[in-house]
């Protein structure tokens, strides 16, 4: 009997499909990788199982970082299995090739990416077969298109399967997006790396359609911060006395009108109704009104505020970053664990904040589960709110929540019917956020009374106005679910009453001197918002419309994009702020200077989205789109290859520290820091001192080069790369080259300290502060070259002690305060950036003193005990013992 193979995107969806089909097709037998009934075999991928690659004849192995082999534009793409998913891929290929399987049903997520996942699996299965035929080995292909996962919706979907021909435009758009990203990423990265490595060394410079515009957003914000000119202004606050008490008001100009055309950051944009721009004028107003009487007008309006919508992934990441400081990557990991491991949340990688219209019964059941379940700890209070929602019938049809038009590949993140057990503290925080939002969204709106009070004080022939705002919560509505948390975030202030016609007295006036502020740096929360709303930065209306629902990246990829920028040292975290590095500014300068700044703008994504949407509607061919991408790729490579000027134009720095050779002015250009002589003019009058900005592929930050010029040494610093591309850590120093009669920069790997050790002379540590007592001999430990050593270790071939520990261990810099902690307590704090020599992966560990081995070693975090597994093992052992006794 012929069967249909159903391929879902995730195992959980495969199980939902089996549950929905069992009543109509009978029992399914469970196998390791699939379920099987009379008419269906149901299995799944685990996301992408294969990735595209250039065919072997086009894949450059050696010299890929030179212009000689660029651009790489293969006529077609081959497929490569993703290592971690090979087992699942082989199992699917085996099922696809079964002779009794005559139909393939694509049940991957309803969208472009789901279409691509299935198509690539089918292509790989066909390519790995001796006889390659169309349509996945000559089998009929159908499409299951689901926007709701209720059993009834799944059964309806099987009744209305779409044909392969109907899905061809979407499949073409999916392939085009994937291949275009590959072409731009591979060629852009290799071209910019080749350009930056022209003068020797290896300076990896990654470029991507989403990564580079995201970086541009951060760099442009930093440029505004750096260029901000601080301006002094003054605010005037007065305290007014009435019979019922006192209240405060802020002076404002009622005739002020904001200039909407003013550029962000300009002096005009900083003008506001409540700002006074001279101390004398502000003081004059304060002196004029103090002790005077005024009159009050008041307007009170009721105001309603609905609960925020359900979470999509980006909103969840944004709020978790703001509330708990979780990175986007951490939040995604927690949400994924709550989905996969605990089965407590629905699929998290979604950009939808609504639910399907047929989900009302599912929501009612879920709300009932939360109401009835004995939730752990702080979640217990939520059960009462859920009970009220059930008893008062809050869950009902509501377009804010249930709307098929607002559901994309997936619906909003909500709790499942599975109550979680034994969550970690971080998992519990995220689950609490989702459950609160799920309950609150069905509650009535919060009701406020908002009061605006204007106090007018006539003085010296003028009438000065002061504004006071009050907001009083009348009915908490959904805010009851959030309790204190909501009221703390609200601007709730009850004003003392003023009787009709009552005169008020200006009792006290304060003039506050303030300064304008530059725009705030991006945090992960605000950068995620900027990526999501990147379409707003586009002027072209068609392209803006194409990006309305898209933004830069997808909810599933935005965390990885930010982590990629951190890994490549384009940005770094300082607290919750994301700050661009010198390498980031250098890339933006390069792309602008080469005239390929379209790689830095979200318009590129907008243009692609517009054309891919046209392709999905059958108005644009796959061939025409890919020809445009190939032409763009060739142009980017050609611009970099043909650039023939000495430097890239840009906004470069003049260093504060003078030239170490002649005391002249040192200036930055694209590649180097160069002495321009005493006058600082660019007429070639410098003494010849010059040093690269990117030693061994690492860009200098300005404060670092200032320190190197001043102290003639700096480090240890990480982030350097060898010619083979391997990362390493080292110190840098300036040394005198007597032959050239100038200074040059060199790497210092501790040879000087080694020479001191071999010389047999005692090292003078008198100018240093001891870091602590040596654990071996009780002597004092100091910094020496690239190590921390005991004072009794150096200066003699018959040294009394051999204690030594590196300043950098497996690329992790060990700061002096950590070494002190090790000497005092036996171990350091948990250090997070060790890099394994074998796997090249980062790992966390403590450094600890191993007295038995007589050296510093690693100590790892203890793993949480796996009680259930042990219990299971114990019960199995007991069962075996009982069986033996019975025998």
């Amino acid at each position: 009997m012929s069967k249909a193979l159903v391929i879902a995107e995730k195992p959980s969806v495969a199980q939902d499909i089996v549950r929905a089909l069992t009543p109509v097709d009978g029992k399914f037998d469970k196998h390791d990788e699939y379920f099987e009934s009379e008419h269906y075999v149901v299995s799944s991928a685990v996301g992408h199982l294969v990735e595209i690659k250039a065919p072997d004849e086009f894949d450059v192995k050696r010299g890929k970082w030179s212009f000689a082999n660029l651009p790489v534009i293969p006529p077609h793409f081959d497929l490569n299995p993703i290592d971690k998913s090979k087992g699942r891929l082989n199992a699917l290929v085996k099922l696809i090739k079964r002779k009794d399987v005559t139909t393939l049903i694509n049940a991957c997520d309803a969208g472009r990416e789901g279409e691509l996942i299935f198509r690539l699996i089918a292509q790989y299965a066909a390519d790995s077969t001796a006889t390659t035929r169309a349509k996945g080995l000559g089998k009929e292909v159908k499409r299951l298109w689901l926007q709701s996962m209720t059993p009834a919706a799944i059964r309806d979907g099987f009744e209305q399967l779409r044909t392969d021909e109907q899905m061809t435009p979407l499949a073409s758009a999916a392939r085009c997006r994937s291949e275009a990203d590959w072409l731009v990423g591979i060629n852009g990265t290799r071209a910019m790396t080749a350009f930056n490595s022209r003068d020797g060394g290896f300076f990896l410079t990654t470029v991507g359609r989403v990564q580079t515009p995201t970086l541009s957003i951060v760099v442009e914000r930093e440029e505004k911060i750096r260029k901000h000119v601080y301006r002094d202004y003054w605010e005037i606050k007065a305290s007014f006395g009435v019979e019922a008490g006192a209240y405060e008001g802020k002076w404002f100009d009622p005739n002020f009108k904001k200039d909407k055309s003013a550029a962000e950051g300009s002096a005009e944009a900083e003008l506001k109704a409540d700002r006074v721009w001279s101390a004398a004028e502000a003081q004059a107003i304060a002196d004029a009104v103090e002790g005077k009487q005024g009159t009050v007008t008041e307007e009170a309006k009721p105001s309603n505020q609905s609960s925020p919508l359900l979470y999509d992934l980006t909103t969840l990441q944004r709020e978790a970053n703001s509330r708990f400081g979780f990175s986007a990557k951490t939040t995604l990991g927690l949400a994924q664990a709550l989905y996969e491991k605990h089965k407590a949340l629905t699929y998290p990688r979604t950009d939808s904040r609504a639910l399907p219209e047929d989900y009302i019964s599912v929501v009612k059941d879920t709300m009932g589960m939360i109401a009835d379940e004995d939730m752990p700890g702080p979640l217990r209070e939520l059960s009462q709110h859920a009970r009220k929602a059930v008893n008062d019938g809050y869950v009902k049809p509501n377009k804010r929540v249930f709307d098929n038009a607002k559901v994309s590949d997936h619906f909003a993140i909500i709790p499942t019917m599975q109550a979680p057990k034994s969550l970690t503290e971080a998992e519990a925080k995220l689950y609490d956020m989702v459950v609160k939002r799920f309950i609150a969204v069905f509650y009535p709106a919060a009701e406020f009374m908002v009061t605006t009070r204007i106090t007018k004080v006539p003085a010296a022939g003028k009438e000065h106005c002061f504004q006071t705002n009050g907001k009083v919560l009348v009915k908490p509505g959904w805010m009851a679910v959030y309790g204190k948390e909501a009221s703390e975030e609200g601007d709730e202030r009850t004003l003392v009453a003023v009787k009709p016609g009552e005169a008020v007295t200006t009792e006290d006036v304060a003039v506050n001197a303030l300064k304008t502020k530059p725009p705030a740096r991006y945090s992960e929360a605000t950068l995620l918002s900027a990526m999501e709303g990147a379409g707003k930065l586009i002027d072209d209306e068609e392209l803006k419309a194409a990006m309305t629902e898209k933004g830069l990246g997808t909810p599933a990829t935005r965390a990885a994009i930010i982590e990629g920028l951190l890994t490549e040292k384009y940005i770094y975290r300082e607290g919750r702020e994301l700050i661009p590095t010198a390498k980031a500014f250098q890339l933006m300068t390069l792309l602008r200077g080469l005239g390929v700044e379209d790689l830095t703008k979200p318009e590129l994504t907008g243009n692609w989205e517009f054309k891919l949407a046209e392709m999905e509607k059958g108005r644009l061919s796959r061939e025409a789109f890919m020809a445009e991408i190939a032409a763009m790729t060739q142009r980017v490579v050609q611009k970099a290859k043909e650039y023939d000027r000495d430097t890239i134009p840009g906004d470069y720095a003049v260093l504060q520290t003078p030239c170490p050779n002649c005391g002249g002015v040192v200036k930055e250009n694209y590649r180097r820091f160069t002495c321009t002589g005493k006058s600082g003019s660019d007429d070639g009058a410098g003494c010849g001192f010059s040093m690269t900005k990117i030693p061994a592929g690492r860009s200098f930050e300005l404060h670092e080069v200032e320190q190197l010029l001043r102290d003639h040494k700096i480090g240890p610093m990480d982030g350097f790369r060898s010619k083979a591309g391997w990362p390493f850590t080292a110190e840098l120093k300036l040394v005198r080259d007597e032959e050239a009669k100038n200074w040059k920069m060199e790497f210092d790997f501790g040879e000087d300290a080694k020479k001191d050790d071999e010389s047999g002379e005692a090292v003078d540590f008198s100018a240093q502060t001891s870091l602590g007592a040596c654990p071996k001999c009780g002597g004092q430990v100091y910094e020496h070259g690239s190590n921390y050593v005991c004072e009794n270790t150096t200066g003699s071939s018959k040294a009394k002690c051999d204690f030594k520990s590196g300043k950098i261990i497996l690329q992790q810099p060990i700061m002096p305060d950590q070494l002190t902690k090790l000497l005092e307590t036996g171990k350091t704090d948990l250090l997070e950036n060790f890099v394994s020599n074998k796997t090249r992966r980062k790992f966390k560990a403590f450094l600890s003193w191993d007295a038995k081995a007589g050296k510093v070693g690693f100590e790892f975090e203890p793993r949480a005990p796996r009680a259930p597994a042990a219990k299971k093992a114990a019960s199995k052992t007991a069962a075996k013992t009982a069986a033996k006794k019975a025998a």
Side-chain angles (χ1 to χ4, degrees):
M1 178 183 288
S2 63
K3 298 192 177 189
L5 171 61
V6 182
I7 300 178
E9 190 167 320
K10 301 173 289 292
S12 62
V13 175
Q15 290 171 344
D16 288 340
I17 289 170
V18 167
R19 279 193 285 269
L21 291 180
T22 298
V24 293
D25 201 54
K27 184 175 178 294
F28 277 78
D29 294 321
K30 189 179 185 307
H31 300 269
D32 283 346
E33 302 286 352
Y34 63 96
F35 301 87
E36 187 166 2
S37 69
E38 186 178 356
H39 298 103
Y40 295 103
V41 178
V42 180
S43 188
S44 77
V46 279
H48 281 279
L49 302 184
V50 293
E51 56 193 357
I52 61 173
K53 65 162 192 165
D56 288 336
E57 63 269 28
F58 288 89
D59 191 19
V60 180
K61 297 289 192 295
R62 295 183 66 81
K64 65 183 179 182
W65 303 109
S66 76
F67 283 119
N69 300 303
L70 294 177
V72 181
I73 304 177
H76 67 278
F77 285 90
D78 287 345
L79 300 176
N80 215 27
I82 294 171
D83 282 343
K84 66 178 183 180
S85 309
K86 268 187 179 175
R88 178 67 64 144
L89 177 62
N90 292 337
L92 277 178
V93 169
K94 196 173 175 184
L95 293 174
I96 289 171
K97 290 179 180 177
R98 269 177 46 168
K99 288 187 177 158
D100 61 339
V101 170
T102 57
T103 303
L104 303 180
I105 298 177
N106 177 6
C108 292
D109 296 341
R112 198 188 289 161
E113 212 58 27
E115 197 64 29
L116 182 66
I117 288 169
F118 171 83
R119 297 281 171 166
L120 294 184
I121 292 168
Q123 180 188 330
Y124 181 82
D127 291 348
S128 61
T129 304
T131 311
T132 301
R133 285 172 285 178
K135 291 189 184 176
L137 306 126
K139 300 173 192 280
E140 187 179 20
V141 174
K142 297 280 189 182
R143 181 58 152 117
L144 177 67
W145 193 264
L146 299 175
Q147 287 188 308
S148 170
M149 293 304 297
T150 63
I154 292 170
R155 287 192 287 271
D156 288 346
F158 273 91
E159 292 294 321
Q160 301 168 43
L161 292 173
R162 300 183 183 185
T163 66
D164 188 43
E165 288 71 24
Q166 284 176 289
M167 304 312 299
T168 299
L170 181 65
S172 296
R175 284 182 182 273
C176 283
R177 200 275 311 147
S178 176
E179 292 171 9
D181 269 347
W182 190 96
L183 287 172
V184 170
I186 291 290
N187 286 286
T189 295
R190 290 182 183 179
M192 298 311 137
T193 301
F195 186 92
N196 279 332
S197 307
R198 264 177 174 168
D199 295 344
F202 177 73
F203 185 21
L204 180 62
T205 311
T206 57
V207 169
R209 172 183 64 90
V210 177
Q211 172 191 295
T212 308
T214 301
L215 180 61
S216 177
I217 289 170
V218 180
V219 169
E220 285 177 13
R221 174 65 59 87
E222 192 68 21
E223 285 172 339
K224 286 176 183 171
I225 292 169
R226 290 183 182 183
K227 290 175 182 174
H228 179 76
V229 178
Y230 288 89
R231 297 178 63 203
D232 294 320
Y233 71 92
W234 288 261
E235 283 183 352
I236 306 153
K237 289 187 176 178
S239 177
F240 298 100
V242 291
E243 190 178 320
Y247 65 92
E248 193 177 79
K250 186 196 282 189
W251 178 91
F252 75 101
D253 178 1
N255 300 315
F256 174 82
K257 287 185 179 174
K258 189 172 179 65
D259 183 356
K260 292 181 181 177
S261 62
E264 185 186 354
S266 66
E268 291 75 18
E270 290 173 341
L271 299 176
K272 291 187 178 178
D274 57 5
R275 291 181 176 179
V276 180
W277 296 94
S278 92
E281 184 185 348
Q283 194 59 50
I285 294 170
D287 293 343
V289 299
E290 189 160 17
K292 301 288 193 303
Q293 286 198 326
T295 57
V296 171
T297 57
E298 198 166 83
E299 184 180 11
K301 288 182 181 177
S303 171
N304 290 349
Q305 183 184 338
S306 296
S307 160
L309 296 174
L310 295 169
Y311 285 118
D312 62 2
L313 178 59
T314 301
T315 312
L316 185 65
Q317 287 170 319
R318 202 164 57 224
E319 292 190 21
N321 179 255
S322 296
R323 288 188 59 194
F324 308 121
F326 293 165
S327 70
K329 180 184 178 184
T330 297
T331 299
L332 176 56
L334 293 170
Q336 201 69 25
L338 287 164
Y339 163 66
E340 288 179 354
K341 178 182 170 187
H342 300 288
K343 317 291 185 198
L345 293 186
T346 57
Y347 185 66
R349 297 168 183 256
T350 175
D351 60 358
S352 175
R353 303 187 69 183
L355 299 173
E357 289 165 17
D358 62 358
Y359 247 60
I360 294 176
S361 61
V362 175
V363 168
K364 284 181 177 177
D365 291 343
T366 306
M367 194 73 78
M369 180 278 292
I370 297 168
D372 296 336
E373 189 68 28
D374 183 20
M375 290 283 187
L379 294 170
R380 193 165 291 121
E381 192 178 326
L382 296 179
S383 298
Q384 299 166 15
H385 296 299
R387 171 54 54 203
K388 181 172 175 59
V390 171
N391 293 345
D392 293 3
Y394 286 166
V395 180
K396 52 196 171 192
N398 175 352
K399 277 290 185 182
R400 284 189 82 235
V401 182
F402 302 102
D403 190 347
N404 289 347
K406 293 176 186 170
V407 174
S408 56
D409 303 11
H410 306 281
F411 51 76
I413 305 169
I414 61 171
T416 64
M417 290 289 292
Q418 179 77 42
K421 307 291 181 189
S422 63
L423 298 180
T424 66
E425 184 184 351
E427 287 170 344
K429 283 179 177 176
L430 208 71
Y431 184 72
D432 176 73
M433 284 177 69
V434 175
V435 173
K436 271 183 181 160
R437 182 63 54 88
F438 173 73
I439 298 171
V441 81
F442 296 103
Y443 264 60
E447 296 179 19
F448 296 91
M449 186 59 71
V450 178
T451 304
T452 304
R453 178 178 293 173
I454 305 296
T455 306
K456 296 179 181 177
V457 183
K462 285 186 180 179
E463 190 171 61
H464 295 286
C465 298
F466 293 79
Q467 183 168 316
T468 311
N469 296 315
K471 185 177 180 182
V472 178
L473 184 62
V474 179
K475 289 184 181 176
W478 64 270
M479 284 188 168
V481 179
Y482 283 83
K484 283 184 184 177
E485 191 183 310
S487 61
E488 283 167 9
E489 289 176 8
D491 179 27
E492 185 173 337
R493 180 165 56 173
T494 305
L495 299 180
V496 297
V498 178
K499 293 178 181 175
E502 183 181 359
V504 303
T505 304
T506 314
E507 294 181 338
D508 186 43
V509 187
V511 175
N512 300 321
L514 302 166
K515 287 182 182 291
T516 58
K517 292 180 181 177
R521 285 196 175 108
Y522 283 106
S523 63
E524 286 204 36
T526 54
L527 183 56
L528 286 165
S529 294
M531 292 173 77
E532 188 178 41
K536 295 171 187 172
L537 305 173
I538 298 175
D539 295 326
D540 184 290
E541 290 303 322
E542 276 190 333
L543 304 189
K544 185 182 283 191
M547 275 189 78
T548 301
E549 301 297 326
K550 300 289 182 183
L552 283 170
T554 66
T557 61
R558 284 178 192 135
I561 293 295
I562 295 172
E563 289 298 321
L565 291 172
L566 288 158
T567 301
E568 288 300 331
K569 302 289 193 289
Y570 280 124
I571 58 176
Y572 65 94
R573 286 190 185 98
E574 193 169 274
R576 293 193 184 183
E577 292 183 333
L578 298 174
I579 304 173
T581 62
K583 183 180 178 182
F585 282 93
Q586 198 160 0
L587 175 60
M588 293 304 134
T589 299
L590 175 60
L591 296 176
R592 293 166 189 165
L594 293 177
V596 291
E597 63 268 34
D598 45 344
L599 286 178
T600 71
K601 297 182 181 300
E603 277 90 341
L604 179 61
T605 290
N607 184 32
W608 286 20
E609 288 299 339
F610 174 73
K611 287 177 177 171
L612 292 174
E614 291 292 287
M615 194 181 298
E616 288 175 17
K617 295 168 189 166
R619 297 175 190 159
L620 179 69
S621 72
R622 169 165 157 70
E623 293 70 27
F625 178 83
M626 290 311 298
E628 279 187 42
I629 298 299
M632 173 196 168
T633 303
Q634 285 172 322
R635 182 176 65 81
V636 168
V637 171
Q638 208 63 25
K639 289 263 192 180
K641 195 184 284 190
E642 293 177 350
Y643 193 85
D644 57 358
R645 279 167 281 171
D646 290 337
T647 190
I648 298 282
D651 184 12
Y652 295 118
V654 177
L655 300 187
Q656 301 297 311
T657 311
C659 169
N661 192 51
C662 72
V665 177
V666 179
K667 288 186 177 180
E668 173 193 20
N669 61 36
Y670 182 70
R671 296 185 185 280
R672 306 187 72 77
F673 295 104
T674 304
C675 175
T676 57
K678 299 278 187 182
S679 65
S681 61
D682 298 315
D683 57 5
C687 69
F689 171 76
S690 179
M691 61 184 231
T692 179
K693 282 171 63 175
I694 46 173
R698 183 197 190 280
S699 293
F700 268 121
E701 298 295 330
L702 286 177
H703 69 88
E704 292 173 342
V705 77
E706 297 272 17
Q707 184 182 336
L708 179 60
L709 292 177
R710 184 181 64 248
D711 302 340
H712 292 189
K713 66 176 183 178
I714 188 171
M717 302 192 299
D718 62 359
F720 298 110
R721 289 181 191 262
S722 68
K723 287 183 180 179
W726 294 110
F728 69 93
T729 308
E731 295 186 1
L732 286 170
K733 62 181 180 179
L734 285 180
V735 296
R736 184 74 182 172
D737 183 345
E738 292 302 337
E739 189 178 326
K741 292 189 169 31
N742 214 318
W743 293 77
K744 64 180 181 180
M745 181 173 61
E746 290 183 351
F747 284 105
D748 181 2
F749 295 102
E751 281 83 356
D752 288 349
K754 194 175 177 185
K755 285 175 192 171
D756 290 342
D757 293 347
E758 290 170 355
S759 70
E761 295 179 14
V763 178
D764 181 10
F765 291 117
S766 60
Q768 286 195 45
T769 303
S770 167
L771 297 172
C774 171
K776 279 197 153 184
C777 72
Q780 298 302 305
V781 175
Y782 298 96
E783 292 186 51
H784 185 49
S786 57
N787 293 296
Y788 299 108
V789 299
C790 173
E791 62 184 338
N792 298 321
T793 302
T794 62
S796 170
S797 56
K798 295 180 181 177
K800 299 176 191 173
C801 183
D802 62 355
F803 175 81
K804 184 187 288 187
S805 184
K807 284 186 182 176
I808 301 162
I809 299 174
L810 295 181
Q811 299 182 44
Q812 166 73 59
I814 312 302
M815 305 311 289
D817 63 320
Q818 289 298 326
L819 199 278
T820 297
K821 186 164 189 175
L822 171 70
L823 297 174
E824 287 177 354
T825 67
K827 70 177 181 180
T828 64
D829 294 333
L830 184 66
L831 305 175
E832 301 192 352
N833 293 310
F834 294 106
V835 179
S836 165
N837 281 332
K838 283 186 179 178
T839 65
R840 317 307 301 177
R841 289 180 182 168
K842 282 189 177 183
F843 67 90
K844 301 177 186 179
F846 303 92
L847 286 181
S848 65
W849 173 248
D850 185 340
K852 192 174 180 182
K855 64 180 182 180
V856 173
F858 292 114
E859 183 180 317
F860 297 96
E861 282 184 295
R863 289 190 177 180
R866 298 177 65 179
K871 199 172 177 183
K872 196 173 178 182
S875 63
K876 278 187 179 178
T877 307
K880 282 183 181 177
T881 307
K884 280 182 182 178
K885 281 184 180 176

